[in-house]
Amino acid sequence: MSSCKIFVIGFNKTGSNKLKSYFQKNGFKTLSWDKGNLAKSIKERHDKRLKLLSPEYNEYDVYLDMECSNEDIYAHKQYFHKLDMENPGSKF
């Protein structure tokens, strides 16, 4: 829907399901958690010096619950500066 990316910064269980529902009802394509794979992918791509959002994840408008707590990866906290630089006009 939008060329602007929205990254929800916050831990899970802080209203992310309501936010996801809101964005979906308003036509945004959302991605939430993906069983920790979103956060792991962002970290792996950061470590390889690649653009953080892989092609499979880049198609979304809104990203929520970007963590993999059992591996201590909190992409919404660790990489938001780079996500912002790579996605001009993004909202957090």
Side-chain angles (χ1 to χ4, degrees), residues 34-51:
D34 192 28
K35 300 180 183 173
N37 293 320
L38 173 59
K40 288 191 279 188
S41 173
I42 289 172
K43 182 190 181 313
E44 288 170 6
R45 294 180 66 79
H46 175 267
D47 293 347
K48 292 178 182 176
R49 300 184 189 273
L50 299 171
K51 189 167 180 181

Side-chain angles (χ1 to χ4, degrees), residues 52-70:
L52 296 184
L53 292 176
S54 69
E56 71 180 289
Y57 289 133
N58 196 44
E59 66 184 80
Y60 294 91
D61 304 308
V62 181
Y63 302 84
L64 306 100
D65 294 332
M66 299 183 295
E67 66 262 338
C68 181
S69 58
N70 62 336

Side-chain angles (χ1 to χ4, degrees), residues 1 6 15 21 24 27 31-32 50-51 65-66 70 74 85:
M1 172 177 186
I6 299 171
S21 176
Q24 288 175 333
L31 178 66
S32 179
L50 299 171
K51 189 167 180 181
D65 294 332
M66 299 183 295
N70 62 336
Y74 300 93
M85 288 185 342

Side-chain angles (χ1 to χ4, degrees), residues 23-37:
F23 283 116
Q24 288 175 333
K25 287 178 182 176
N26 286 283
F28 291 86
K29 189 168 181 183
T30 65
L31 178 66
S32 179
W33 188 53
D34 192 28
K35 300 180 183 173
N37 293 320

